[in-house]
Amino acid sequence: MSAAGLALGRRWSRLSPLVWIGGGSCLFWVFVALAAPWIAPYDPVAQDLAATLQPPNALHLLGTDNFGRDILSRIIWGTRLDLQMGVLGVVFPFVIGTTIGAASGYFGGIVDMLLMRLLDVTISFPFFVLIIAIVATLGPGLGSFYIALALVGWVSYARLIRSRFIVLKHADFVTAARSLGYSHWRIAFRHILPNAVMPAIVFSVSDAVIDIVLGSSLSYLGLGIQPPTPEWGLMIAEGQTFIATAWWMTTFPGLAIVLLAVGFSLLADGIAENLGLRD
Amino acid sequence: MHRFNFVLYRPIQLVPVLIGISLVTFLLIHAIPGDPARLLLGAKATPEAIAAIHARFGLDKPVAVQYLYFLVNLLRGELGLSIIYKAPVLQVVVGRILPTLFLLLYAVALAVSLSVVLGSAAAANRGRPLDQAIRLFSTVGLGLPAFWLGIVLIMLLSIDLGWFPVSGYGEDFPDRLHHLFLPAFTVAFAMAPVLTRNLRASLIAESTADYVSAARAKGLPRHVIFFHHIFRNSMIPTINLLGVNVGWLIGGTVVVEAVFSVPGLGGLLVSSIFARDYLVVQAVTLILALGVVATNFIVDIATVALDPRIQP
Protein backbone atom coordinates (compact mmCIF):
# COMPACT_ATOMS: atom_id res chain seq x y z
CA MET A 1 0.00 0.00 0.00
CA SER A 2 1.31 3.42 -0.84
CA ALA A 3 2.28 6.02 1.71
CA ALA A 4 -0.56 8.22 0.55
CA GLY A 5 -3.02 5.35 0.93
CA LEU A 6 -1.82 4.66 4.49
CA ALA A 7 -2.19 8.32 5.35
CA LEU A 8 -5.74 8.19 4.04
CA GLY A 9 -6.47 5.15 6.19
CA ARG A 10 -4.97 6.64 9.32
CA ARG A 11 -7.00 9.80 8.95
CA TRP A 12 -10.19 7.84 8.34
CA SER A 13 -12.01 9.76 11.07
CA ARG A 14 -10.85 13.09 9.72
CA LEU A 15 -12.11 12.52 6.18
CA SER A 16 -13.47 15.60 4.47
CA PRO A 17 -17.28 15.86 4.57
CA LEU A 18 -17.07 15.99 0.77
CA VAL A 19 -15.89 12.36 0.77
CA TRP A 20 -18.94 11.31 2.78
CA ILE A 21 -21.43 13.30 0.70
CA GLY A 22 -19.86 12.36 -2.65
CA GLY A 23 -19.22 8.75 -1.70
CA GLY A 24 -22.73 8.42 -0.26
CA SER A 25 -24.22 9.82 -3.45
CA CYS A 26 -22.20 7.38 -5.58
CA LEU A 27 -23.30 4.46 -3.38
CA PHE A 28 -26.91 5.62 -3.74
CA TRP A 29 -26.66 5.41 -7.54
CA VAL A 30 -24.94 2.02 -7.35
CA PHE A 31 -27.87 0.83 -5.24
CA VAL A 32 -30.40 2.27 -7.73
CA ALA A 33 -28.60 0.51 -10.60
CA LEU A 34 -28.45 -2.86 -8.83
CA ALA A 35 -31.98 -2.72 -7.42
CA ALA A 36 -33.60 -1.42 -10.65
CA PRO A 37 -35.80 -4.51 -11.25
CA TRP A 38 -37.29 -4.22 -7.76
CA ILE A 39 -37.60 -0.46 -7.24
CA ALA A 40 -38.76 0.61 -10.70
CA PRO A 41 -42.57 0.95 -10.55
CA TYR A 42 -43.09 0.09 -14.25
CA ASP A 43 -41.44 -1.78 -17.11
CA PRO A 44 -39.10 0.87 -18.65
CA VAL A 45 -39.95 -0.04 -22.25
CA ALA A 46 -43.65 -0.94 -21.81
CA GLN A 47 -45.81 1.47 -23.81
CA ASP A 48 -49.16 2.65 -22.48
CA LEU A 49 -50.87 4.55 -25.27
CA ALA A 50 -53.76 5.45 -22.95
CA ALA A 51 -51.38 7.45 -20.74
CA THR A 52 -49.04 9.39 -23.07
CA LEU A 53 -47.36 12.69 -22.15
CA GLN A 54 -48.82 12.78 -18.64
CA PRO A 55 -47.33 15.40 -16.30
CA PRO A 56 -45.96 14.19 -12.95
CA ASN A 57 -48.81 12.71 -10.88
CA ALA A 58 -49.49 10.13 -8.19
CA LEU A 59 -49.40 7.17 -10.63
CA HIS A 60 -46.36 8.39 -12.58
CA LEU A 61 -44.23 10.43 -10.16
CA LEU A 62 -42.08 11.96 -12.93
CA GLY A 63 -44.70 11.77 -15.70
CA THR A 64 -44.78 9.71 -18.89
CA ASP A 65 -43.28 10.16 -22.37
CA ASN A 66 -44.91 10.23 -25.80
CA PHE A 67 -45.29 6.43 -25.76
CA GLY A 68 -46.76 6.44 -22.25
CA ARG A 69 -43.58 4.98 -20.77
CA ASP A 70 -42.94 5.86 -17.12
CA ILE A 71 -40.09 8.43 -16.86
CA LEU A 72 -39.10 7.42 -13.31
CA SER A 73 -38.74 3.76 -14.30
CA ARG A 74 -36.72 4.72 -17.36
CA ILE A 75 -34.41 6.88 -15.25
CA ILE A 76 -33.95 4.07 -12.71
CA TRP A 77 -33.07 1.55 -15.43
CA GLY A 78 -30.95 4.13 -17.23
CA THR A 79 -28.72 4.37 -14.14
CA ARG A 80 -27.26 1.00 -15.12
CA LEU A 81 -25.94 2.40 -18.39
CA ASP A 82 -24.90 5.89 -17.29
CA LEU A 83 -23.13 4.67 -14.16
CA GLN A 84 -21.42 1.96 -16.20
CA MET A 85 -20.20 4.57 -18.73
CA GLY A 86 -18.60 6.50 -15.89
CA VAL A 87 -16.97 3.52 -14.17
CA LEU A 88 -15.99 1.32 -17.13
CA GLY A 89 -15.12 4.40 -19.19
CA VAL A 90 -12.12 5.21 -17.00
CA VAL A 91 -10.76 1.65 -16.72
CA PHE A 92 -9.21 1.30 -20.20
CA PRO A 93 -7.72 4.83 -20.36
CA PHE A 94 -6.36 4.30 -16.83
CA VAL A 95 -4.62 1.02 -17.66
CA ILE A 96 -3.27 2.17 -21.03
CA GLY A 97 -2.26 5.61 -19.78
CA THR A 98 -0.54 4.23 -16.70
CA THR A 99 1.44 1.73 -18.75
CA ILE A 100 2.51 4.31 -21.32
CA GLY A 101 3.32 6.92 -18.65
CA ALA A 102 5.34 4.39 -16.65
CA ALA A 103 7.31 3.21 -19.69
CA SER A 104 7.89 6.78 -20.82
CA GLY A 105 9.03 8.06 -17.44
CA TYR A 106 11.06 4.99 -16.45
CA PHE A 107 13.02 4.42 -19.64
CA GLY A 108 13.24 8.01 -20.93
CA GLY A 109 15.28 8.49 -24.11
CA ILE A 110 13.90 7.27 -27.43
CA VAL A 111 10.93 5.45 -25.82
CA ASP A 112 9.89 8.64 -24.05
CA MET A 113 10.41 10.70 -27.21
CA LEU A 114 8.22 8.45 -29.36
CA LEU A 115 5.45 8.04 -26.77
CA MET A 116 5.33 11.78 -26.10
CA ARG A 117 5.02 12.54 -29.84
CA LEU A 118 2.08 10.10 -29.89
CA LEU A 119 0.64 12.08 -26.96
CA ASP A 120 1.21 15.39 -28.78
CA VAL A 121 -0.71 14.13 -31.79
CA THR A 122 -3.58 12.81 -29.67
CA ILE A 123 -4.05 16.05 -27.74
CA SER A 124 -3.99 18.05 -30.99
CA PHE A 125 -7.46 16.75 -31.71
CA PRO A 126 -10.35 18.22 -29.77
CA PHE A 127 -11.11 15.38 -27.33
CA PHE A 128 -14.81 15.05 -28.07
CA VAL A 129 -14.38 15.50 -31.83
CA LEU A 130 -11.92 12.61 -31.99
CA ILE A 131 -14.24 10.46 -29.87
CA ILE A 132 -17.14 11.25 -32.23
CA ALA A 133 -15.00 10.56 -35.31
CA ILE A 134 -13.82 7.19 -33.97
CA VAL A 135 -17.36 6.20 -32.98
CA ALA A 136 -18.53 7.23 -36.46
CA THR A 137 -15.86 4.97 -37.98
CA LEU A 138 -16.62 1.97 -35.78
CA GLY A 139 -20.40 2.44 -35.82
CA PRO A 140 -22.65 3.79 -33.04
CA GLY A 141 -22.84 1.92 -29.74
CA LEU A 142 -21.42 1.50 -26.27
CA GLY A 143 -18.54 -0.73 -27.41
CA SER A 144 -17.33 1.92 -29.87
CA PHE A 145 -17.55 4.52 -27.10
CA TYR A 146 -15.27 2.47 -24.82
CA ILE A 147 -12.79 1.81 -27.63
CA ALA A 148 -12.74 5.51 -28.54
CA LEU A 149 -12.20 6.47 -24.89
CA ALA A 150 -9.34 3.98 -24.61
CA LEU A 151 -7.68 5.40 -27.73
CA VAL A 152 -8.06 9.06 -26.72
CA GLY A 153 -8.46 9.21 -22.94
CA TRP A 154 -5.12 7.68 -21.92
CA VAL A 155 -3.19 10.95 -22.35
CA SER A 156 -4.07 12.54 -18.99
CA TYR A 157 -3.09 9.38 -17.09
CA ALA A 158 0.13 9.02 -19.05
CA ARG A 159 1.13 12.60 -18.21
CA LEU A 160 0.36 12.24 -14.50
CA ILE A 161 2.19 8.91 -14.13
CA ARG A 162 5.13 9.97 -16.28
CA SER A 163 5.81 13.11 -14.25
CA ARG A 164 5.78 11.08 -11.00
CA PHE A 165 8.06 8.41 -12.50
CA ILE A 166 10.61 10.98 -13.63
CA VAL A 167 10.94 12.20 -10.03
CA LEU A 168 10.70 8.82 -8.29
CA LYS A 169 13.13 6.86 -10.46
CA HIS A 170 15.98 8.71 -8.74
CA ALA A 171 14.61 8.05 -5.24
CA ASP A 172 16.72 6.07 -2.74
CA PHE A 173 14.35 3.11 -2.59
CA VAL A 174 14.68 2.69 -6.36
CA THR A 175 18.46 2.77 -6.17
CA ALA A 176 18.23 0.19 -3.39
CA ALA A 177 15.94 -2.05 -5.45
CA ARG A 178 18.27 -1.73 -8.44
CA SER A 179 21.35 -2.65 -6.38
CA LEU A 180 19.49 -5.81 -5.31
CA GLY A 181 19.37 -6.72 -9.00
CA TYR A 182 15.58 -6.51 -9.44
CA SER A 183 14.24 -6.49 -12.99
CA HIS A 184 13.04 -3.29 -14.66
CA TRP A 185 9.53 -4.73 -14.66
CA ARG A 186 9.59 -5.38 -10.91
CA ILE A 187 11.08 -1.98 -10.06
CA ALA A 188 8.67 -0.06 -12.29
CA PHE A 189 5.44 -1.82 -11.37
CA ARG A 190 6.04 -3.14 -7.84
CA HIS A 191 8.15 -0.35 -6.39
CA ILE A 192 7.63 2.94 -8.25
CA LEU A 193 4.04 2.53 -9.45
CA PRO A 194 2.40 2.15 -6.00
CA ASN A 195 4.01 5.44 -5.01
CA ALA A 196 3.10 7.17 -8.26
CA VAL A 197 -0.44 6.07 -8.89
CA MET A 198 -2.43 8.09 -6.32
CA PRO A 199 -2.85 11.32 -8.37
CA ALA A 200 -4.03 9.19 -11.30
CA ILE A 201 -6.59 7.43 -9.10
CA VAL A 202 -7.92 10.77 -7.86
CA PHE A 203 -8.06 12.02 -11.42
CA SER A 204 -9.95 8.91 -12.52
CA VAL A 205 -12.84 9.84 -10.20
CA SER A 206 -13.24 13.27 -11.80
CA ASP A 207 -12.61 11.67 -15.20
CA ALA A 208 -15.71 9.51 -14.56
CA VAL A 209 -17.73 12.75 -14.54
CA ILE A 210 -16.41 13.61 -17.99
CA ASP A 211 -17.19 10.11 -19.29
CA ILE A 212 -20.78 10.27 -18.00
CA VAL A 213 -21.32 13.63 -19.71
CA LEU A 214 -19.59 12.43 -22.91
CA GLY A 215 -21.49 9.14 -23.02
CA SER A 216 -24.86 10.80 -22.56
CA SER A 217 -23.91 13.46 -25.15
CA LEU A 218 -23.10 10.73 -27.67
CA SER A 219 -26.45 9.06 -27.03
CA TYR A 220 -28.14 12.45 -27.34
CA LEU A 221 -26.54 12.89 -30.77
CA GLY A 222 -27.73 9.40 -31.75
CA LEU A 223 -24.24 7.85 -31.73
CA GLY A 224 -24.44 5.95 -28.45
CA ILE A 225 -27.17 3.84 -26.90
CA GLN A 226 -29.98 3.21 -29.38
CA PRO A 227 -33.77 3.34 -28.71
CA PRO A 228 -35.77 1.96 -27.02
CA THR A 229 -33.14 1.24 -24.35
CA PRO A 230 -33.57 3.67 -21.45
CA GLU A 231 -30.51 5.93 -21.23
CA TRP A 232 -30.55 9.49 -19.87
CA GLY A 233 -28.98 11.28 -22.86
CA LEU A 234 -31.24 9.43 -25.26
CA MET A 235 -34.29 10.28 -23.13
CA ILE A 236 -33.35 13.97 -23.33
CA ALA A 237 -33.07 13.71 -27.12
CA GLU A 238 -36.49 12.02 -27.30
CA GLY A 239 -37.98 14.73 -25.10
CA GLN A 240 -36.56 17.62 -27.12
CA THR A 241 -39.42 17.36 -29.64
CA PHE A 242 -41.88 17.97 -26.82
CA ILE A 243 -40.16 20.76 -24.86
CA ALA A 244 -43.05 23.16 -25.49
CA THR A 245 -45.61 20.76 -24.01
CA ALA A 246 -43.84 18.16 -21.83
CA TRP A 247 -40.97 19.74 -19.88
CA TRP A 248 -40.68 16.70 -17.61
CA MET A 249 -39.43 14.47 -20.44
CA THR A 250 -36.13 16.40 -20.70
CA THR A 251 -35.82 17.95 -17.25
CA PHE A 252 -35.70 14.83 -15.07
CA PRO A 253 -33.17 12.73 -17.02
CA GLY A 254 -30.91 15.81 -17.13
CA LEU A 255 -31.19 16.26 -13.37
CA ALA A 256 -30.23 12.61 -12.97
CA ILE A 257 -27.03 13.19 -15.00
CA VAL A 258 -26.19 16.27 -12.92
CA LEU A 259 -26.78 14.48 -9.60
CA LEU A 260 -24.71 11.43 -10.60
CA ALA A 261 -21.90 13.62 -11.95
CA VAL A 262 -21.89 15.90 -8.90
CA GLY A 263 -21.58 12.85 -6.63
CA PHE A 264 -18.39 11.81 -8.42
CA SER A 265 -17.11 15.42 -8.49
CA LEU A 266 -17.57 15.87 -4.74
CA LEU A 267 -15.90 12.53 -4.06
CA ALA A 268 -12.93 13.52 -6.22
CA ASP A 269 -12.70 16.93 -4.52
CA GLY A 270 -12.89 15.36 -1.09
CA ILE A 271 -10.18 12.76 -1.76
CA ALA A 272 -7.92 15.39 -3.30
CA GLU A 273 -8.47 17.64 -0.30
CA ASN A 274 -7.68 14.83 2.15
CA LEU A 275 -4.48 13.96 0.34
CA GLY A 276 -3.45 17.61 0.19
CA LEU A 277 -3.42 17.54 -3.61
CA ARG A 278 -5.65 20.61 -3.88
CA ASP A 279 -6.18 23.85 -1.93
CA MET B 1 14.05 40.46 -30.01
CA HIS B 2 15.63 37.01 -29.77
CA ARG B 3 12.90 36.04 -27.31
CA PHE B 4 10.56 35.74 -30.24
CA ASN B 5 12.84 33.58 -32.38
CA PHE B 6 10.68 30.61 -31.46
CA VAL B 7 7.95 32.04 -33.69
CA LEU B 8 10.22 30.98 -36.57
CA TYR B 9 11.43 27.59 -35.39
CA ARG B 10 8.29 26.34 -33.57
CA PRO B 11 6.47 25.62 -36.87
CA ILE B 12 9.33 23.27 -37.80
CA GLN B 13 8.89 21.46 -34.48
CA LEU B 14 5.21 21.11 -35.34
CA VAL B 15 5.91 19.06 -38.48
CA PRO B 16 5.90 15.65 -36.70
CA VAL B 17 2.61 16.57 -35.00
CA LEU B 18 1.07 17.65 -38.31
CA ILE B 19 2.19 14.39 -39.95
CA GLY B 20 0.68 12.53 -37.01
CA ILE B 21 -2.62 14.40 -37.41
CA SER B 22 -2.75 13.55 -41.13
CA LEU B 23 -1.99 9.89 -40.34
CA VAL B 24 -4.78 9.68 -37.75
CA THR B 25 -7.36 11.29 -40.05
CA PHE B 26 -6.26 8.96 -42.87
CA LEU B 27 -6.63 5.91 -40.63
CA LEU B 28 -10.08 7.07 -39.47
CA ILE B 29 -11.42 6.59 -42.98
CA HIS B 30 -9.28 3.55 -43.70
CA ALA B 31 -10.61 1.75 -40.62
CA ILE B 32 -14.24 1.97 -41.74
CA PRO B 33 -15.43 -1.60 -42.25
CA GLY B 34 -16.36 -2.49 -45.82
CA ASP B 35 -15.14 -1.55 -49.28
CA PRO B 36 -15.10 2.24 -49.91
CA ALA B 37 -15.96 1.61 -53.57
CA ARG B 38 -19.15 -0.17 -52.51
CA LEU B 39 -19.98 2.70 -50.16
CA LEU B 40 -19.55 5.06 -53.09
CA LEU B 41 -21.39 3.04 -55.74
CA GLY B 42 -24.01 1.22 -53.69
CA ALA B 43 -24.79 -2.47 -53.34
CA LYS B 44 -25.65 -3.12 -57.01
CA ALA B 45 -22.25 -2.06 -58.41
CA THR B 46 -20.67 -4.31 -61.06
CA PRO B 47 -17.21 -5.80 -60.41
CA GLU B 48 -15.85 -3.73 -63.33
CA ALA B 49 -17.13 -0.47 -61.82
CA ILE B 50 -15.61 -1.39 -58.45
CA ALA B 51 -12.28 -2.22 -60.06
CA ALA B 52 -12.39 1.12 -61.89
CA ILE B 53 -12.95 3.02 -58.61
CA HIS B 54 -10.12 1.01 -56.99
CA ALA B 55 -7.72 1.95 -59.78
CA ARG B 56 -8.82 5.58 -59.85
CA PHE B 57 -8.39 6.19 -56.10
CA GLY B 58 -5.42 3.84 -55.66
CA LEU B 59 -7.44 1.55 -53.39
CA ASP B 60 -5.66 -1.50 -54.86
CA LYS B 61 -2.29 -0.17 -53.67
CA PRO B 62 -0.64 -0.91 -50.29
CA VAL B 63 -1.81 1.19 -47.31
CA ALA B 64 1.45 3.14 -47.14
CA VAL B 65 1.10 4.18 -50.79
CA GLN B 66 -2.54 5.15 -50.21
CA TYR B 67 -1.42 7.34 -47.32
CA LEU B 68 1.13 9.08 -49.54
CA TYR B 69 -1.62 9.72 -52.13
CA PHE B 70 -3.73 11.18 -49.33
CA LEU B 71 -0.88 13.36 -48.07
CA VAL B 72 -0.07 14.72 -51.53
CA ASN B 73 -3.74 15.51 -52.16
CA LEU B 74 -3.97 17.13 -48.74
CA LEU B 75 -1.06 19.45 -49.50
CA ARG B 76 -2.78 20.43 -52.74
CA GLY B 77 -5.98 21.15 -50.80
CA GLU B 78 -7.85 18.28 -52.41
CA LEU B 79 -9.96 16.45 -49.87
CA GLY B 80 -12.30 14.71 -52.31
CA LEU B 81 -15.96 15.18 -53.15
CA SER B 82 -18.86 15.25 -50.71
CA ILE B 83 -21.42 12.62 -51.71
CA ILE B 84 -24.23 14.65 -50.11
CA TYR B 85 -23.40 18.20 -51.17
CA LYS B 86 -22.01 17.11 -54.58
CA ALA B 87 -19.22 19.64 -54.14
CA PRO B 88 -15.53 19.61 -53.17
CA VAL B 89 -15.24 18.75 -49.46
CA LEU B 90 -12.91 21.68 -48.83
CA GLN B 91 -15.52 24.10 -50.16
CA VAL B 92 -18.27 22.58 -48.01
CA VAL B 93 -16.14 22.70 -44.87
CA VAL B 94 -14.72 26.21 -45.36
CA GLY B 95 -18.26 27.60 -45.66
CA ARG B 96 -19.00 26.32 -42.14
CA ILE B 97 -15.94 27.74 -40.39
CA LEU B 98 -17.28 31.25 -39.74
CA PRO B 99 -20.35 30.38 -37.59
CA THR B 100 -18.21 28.07 -35.43
CA LEU B 101 -15.49 30.69 -35.05
CA PHE B 102 -18.08 33.33 -34.14
CA LEU B 103 -19.65 30.98 -31.58
CA LEU B 104 -16.25 30.08 -30.10
CA LEU B 105 -15.09 33.68 -29.69
CA TYR B 106 -18.46 34.69 -28.26
CA ALA B 107 -18.29 31.78 -25.80
CA VAL B 108 -14.74 32.70 -24.79
CA ALA B 109 -15.80 36.30 -24.12
CA LEU B 110 -18.71 35.12 -21.97
CA ALA B 111 -16.66 32.46 -20.17
CA VAL B 112 -13.89 34.92 -19.30
CA SER B 113 -16.39 37.55 -18.06
CA LEU B 114 -18.20 34.98 -15.96
CA SER B 115 -15.00 33.59 -14.45
CA VAL B 116 -13.55 37.04 -13.73
CA VAL B 117 -16.66 37.99 -11.75
CA LEU B 118 -16.97 34.66 -9.93
CA GLY B 119 -13.23 34.10 -9.43
CA SER B 120 -12.71 37.59 -7.98
CA ALA B 121 -15.76 37.31 -5.74
CA ALA B 122 -14.59 33.90 -4.47
CA ALA B 123 -11.02 35.05 -3.82
CA ALA B 124 -12.17 38.23 -2.04
CA ASN B 125 -14.47 36.20 0.22
CA ARG B 126 -12.17 33.25 0.75
CA GLY B 127 -13.65 30.66 3.10
CA ARG B 128 -16.91 32.61 3.53
CA PRO B 129 -20.34 31.37 2.36
CA LEU B 130 -20.06 33.19 -1.01
CA ASP B 131 -16.79 31.36 -1.74
CA GLN B 132 -18.42 28.04 -0.83
CA ALA B 133 -21.43 28.83 -3.02
CA ILE B 134 -19.20 29.64 -6.00
CA ARG B 135 -17.25 26.44 -5.37
CA LEU B 136 -20.48 24.46 -5.38
CA PHE B 137 -21.43 26.19 -8.64
CA SER B 138 -18.13 25.04 -10.19
CA THR B 139 -18.70 21.48 -9.04
CA VAL B 140 -22.23 21.39 -10.44
CA GLY B 141 -21.11 23.18 -13.61
CA LEU B 142 -18.52 20.48 -14.35
CA GLY B 143 -21.18 17.77 -14.34
CA LEU B 144 -23.77 19.74 -16.29
CA PRO B 145 -24.20 18.26 -19.78
CA ALA B 146 -24.07 21.14 -22.29
CA PHE B 147 -26.84 19.71 -24.46
CA TRP B 148 -29.22 19.53 -21.51
CA LEU B 149 -28.38 23.03 -20.28
CA GLY B 150 -29.04 24.27 -23.84
CA ILE B 151 -32.46 22.64 -23.92
CA VAL B 152 -33.38 23.96 -20.46
CA LEU B 153 -32.36 27.48 -21.52
CA ILE B 154 -34.49 27.13 -24.67
CA MET B 155 -37.45 26.04 -22.53
CA LEU B 156 -37.11 28.90 -20.04
CA LEU B 157 -35.80 31.83 -22.08
CA SER B 158 -36.99 31.10 -25.62
CA ILE B 159 -40.32 29.31 -25.25
CA ASP B 160 -41.60 30.65 -21.92
CA LEU B 161 -40.21 34.20 -22.03
CA GLY B 162 -39.57 34.61 -25.76
CA TRP B 163 -36.31 36.52 -25.21
CA PHE B 164 -34.13 34.55 -27.62
CA PRO B 165 -34.68 32.64 -30.88
CA VAL B 166 -34.77 28.85 -30.56
CA SER B 167 -32.20 28.26 -33.30
CA GLY B 168 -30.41 29.77 -36.28
CA TYR B 169 -27.49 32.04 -36.99
CA GLY B 170 -28.84 35.56 -37.68
CA GLU B 171 -28.39 38.02 -40.54
CA ASP B 172 -26.04 40.78 -39.37
CA PHE B 173 -23.70 41.27 -36.42
CA PRO B 174 -26.19 42.45 -33.73
CA ASP B 175 -28.68 39.83 -34.91
CA ARG B 176 -26.00 37.16 -34.61
CA LEU B 177 -25.12 38.27 -31.08
CA HIS B 178 -28.79 37.84 -30.27
CA HIS B 179 -29.22 34.49 -32.06
CA LEU B 180 -26.03 32.96 -30.70
CA PHE B 181 -26.33 34.20 -27.11
CA LEU B 182 -27.85 31.01 -25.73
CA PRO B 183 -25.47 28.65 -27.60
CA ALA B 184 -22.46 30.77 -26.60
CA PHE B 185 -23.64 30.95 -22.99
CA THR B 186 -24.10 27.16 -22.95
CA VAL B 187 -20.56 26.57 -24.22
CA ALA B 188 -19.20 29.21 -21.84
CA PHE B 189 -20.94 27.59 -18.90
CA ALA B 190 -19.02 24.36 -19.45
CA MET B 191 -15.69 26.24 -19.47
CA ALA B 192 -16.36 28.73 -16.66
CA PRO B 193 -15.96 26.33 -13.67
CA VAL B 194 -12.40 25.37 -14.62
CA LEU B 195 -11.41 28.99 -15.31
CA THR B 196 -13.06 30.25 -12.12
CA ARG B 197 -11.20 27.74 -9.95
CA ASN B 198 -7.92 28.55 -11.63
CA LEU B 199 -8.41 32.33 -11.39
CA ARG B 200 -9.45 32.10 -7.73
CA ALA B 201 -6.33 30.09 -6.90
CA SER B 202 -3.98 32.46 -8.73
CA LEU B 203 -5.66 35.57 -7.27
CA ILE B 204 -5.13 34.15 -3.78
CA ALA B 205 -1.54 33.17 -4.57
CA GLU B 206 -0.70 36.55 -6.15
CA SER B 207 -2.24 38.55 -3.29
CA THR B 208 0.41 37.21 -0.90
CA ALA B 209 3.28 38.15 -3.23
CA ASP B 210 5.97 40.60 -2.05
CA TYR B 211 5.09 43.23 -4.64
CA VAL B 212 1.57 43.41 -3.17
CA SER B 213 2.99 44.05 0.32
CA ALA B 214 5.21 46.74 -1.21
CA ALA B 215 2.26 48.35 -2.98
CA ARG B 216 0.25 48.28 0.23
CA ALA B 217 3.18 49.72 2.20
CA LYS B 218 3.46 52.71 -0.09
CA GLY B 219 -0.23 53.37 0.47
CA LEU B 220 -1.80 52.50 -2.90
CA PRO B 221 -5.61 52.28 -2.78
CA ARG B 222 -6.96 48.73 -2.57
CA HIS B 223 -8.71 48.81 -5.95
CA VAL B 224 -5.51 49.99 -7.66
CA ILE B 225 -3.54 47.14 -6.06
CA PHE B 226 -6.19 44.67 -7.13
CA PHE B 227 -6.79 45.74 -10.72
CA HIS B 228 -3.33 46.97 -11.70
CA HIS B 229 -1.22 44.41 -9.91
CA ILE B 230 -2.92 41.27 -8.64
CA PHE B 231 -5.53 40.91 -11.36
CA ARG B 232 -3.23 41.47 -14.33
CA ASN B 233 -0.73 38.91 -13.12
CA SER B 234 -3.46 36.39 -12.30
CA MET B 235 -4.94 36.55 -15.79
CA ILE B 236 -1.83 35.10 -17.46
CA PRO B 237 -2.29 31.52 -16.20
CA THR B 238 -6.04 31.78 -16.83
CA ILE B 239 -5.57 32.85 -20.45
CA ASN B 240 -3.04 30.04 -20.83
CA LEU B 241 -5.50 27.53 -19.41
CA LEU B 242 -8.08 28.77 -21.89
CA GLY B 243 -5.62 28.14 -24.73
CA VAL B 244 -4.78 24.67 -23.48
CA ASN B 245 -8.48 23.85 -23.24
CA VAL B 246 -9.49 25.12 -26.67
CA GLY B 247 -10.03 21.50 -27.67
CA TRP B 248 -12.63 21.19 -24.92
CA LEU B 249 -14.34 24.36 -26.08
CA ILE B 250 -14.51 23.02 -29.63
CA GLY B 251 -15.90 19.72 -28.37
CA GLY B 252 -18.57 21.69 -26.51
CA THR B 253 -19.55 23.64 -29.62
CA VAL B 254 -20.08 20.41 -31.59
CA VAL B 255 -22.88 19.30 -29.26
CA VAL B 256 -24.28 22.80 -28.74
CA GLU B 257 -24.42 23.47 -32.49
CA ALA B 258 -26.48 20.31 -32.83
CA VAL B 259 -28.88 21.47 -30.07
CA PHE B 260 -29.39 24.98 -31.51
CA SER B 261 -29.05 24.06 -35.23
CA VAL B 262 -26.15 26.48 -35.73
CA PRO B 263 -24.84 26.01 -39.30
CA GLY B 264 -21.24 25.41 -38.18
CA LEU B 265 -18.60 22.68 -38.33
CA GLY B 266 -20.06 20.73 -35.39
CA GLY B 267 -23.49 20.45 -36.97
CA LEU B 268 -21.83 19.47 -40.24
CA LEU B 269 -19.77 16.78 -38.47
CA VAL B 270 -22.82 15.18 -36.87
CA SER B 271 -25.07 15.37 -39.96
CA SER B 272 -22.27 13.97 -42.17
CA ILE B 273 -21.83 10.98 -39.87
CA PHE B 274 -25.48 10.06 -40.32
CA ALA B 275 -25.27 10.70 -44.06
CA ARG B 276 -22.16 8.47 -44.23
CA ASP B 277 -20.38 11.38 -45.90
CA TYR B 278 -17.07 10.14 -44.51
CA LEU B 279 -14.80 12.50 -46.42
CA VAL B 280 -16.56 15.47 -44.80
CA VAL B 281 -16.18 13.82 -41.36
CA GLN B 282 -12.48 13.42 -42.12
CA ALA B 283 -12.08 17.02 -43.28
CA VAL B 284 -13.92 18.53 -40.29
CA THR B 285 -11.81 16.47 -37.87
CA LEU B 286 -8.66 17.59 -39.67
CA ILE B 287 -9.63 21.29 -39.74
CA LEU B 288 -10.56 21.31 -36.04
CA ALA B 289 -7.24 19.66 -35.11
CA LEU B 290 -5.37 22.26 -37.15
CA GLY B 291 -7.40 24.92 -35.32
CA VAL B 292 -6.21 23.54 -31.97
CA VAL B 293 -2.56 23.50 -33.11
CA ALA B 294 -2.83 27.06 -34.43
CA THR B 295 -4.49 28.31 -31.23
CA ASN B 296 -1.82 26.77 -29.04
CA PHE B 297 0.83 28.43 -31.19
CA ILE B 298 -0.89 31.83 -30.83
CA VAL B 299 -1.28 31.36 -27.07
CA ASP B 300 2.46 30.57 -26.84
CA ILE B 301 3.27 33.86 -28.56
CA ALA B 302 0.74 35.80 -26.46
CA THR B 303 2.14 34.38 -23.21
CA VAL B 304 5.67 35.42 -24.09
CA ALA B 305 4.44 38.85 -25.17
CA LEU B 306 2.45 39.34 -21.94
CA ASP B 307 5.12 38.20 -19.51
CA PRO B 308 8.72 39.25 -20.19
CA ARG B 309 10.02 36.70 -17.64
CA ILE B 310 8.89 33.72 -19.67
CA GLN B 311 11.60 32.24 -21.87
CA PRO B 312 10.18 29.93 -24.53
Side-chain angles (χ1 to χ4, degrees), chain A residues 167-183:
Chain A
V167 177
L168 288 172
K169 71 175 172 186
H170 300 297
D172 287 343
F173 71 88
V174 176
T175 316
R178 200 164 283 148
S179 63
L180 286 169
Y182 289 167
S183 66

Side-chain angles (χ1 to χ4, degrees), chain A residues 114-126 130 152 154-155, chain B residues 14-25 289 292-293:
Chain A
L114 289 175
L115 289 175
M116 287 305 106
R117 289 297 81 74
L118 185 63
L119 187 143
D120 286 344
V121 171
T122 312
I123 59 170
S124 298
F125 289 91
L130 193 50
V152 186
W154 58 273
V155 288
Chain B
L14 284 177
V15 169
V17 172
L18 294 175
I19 291 176
I21 289 174
S22 70
L23 196 57
V24 170
T25 41
V292 172
V293 173

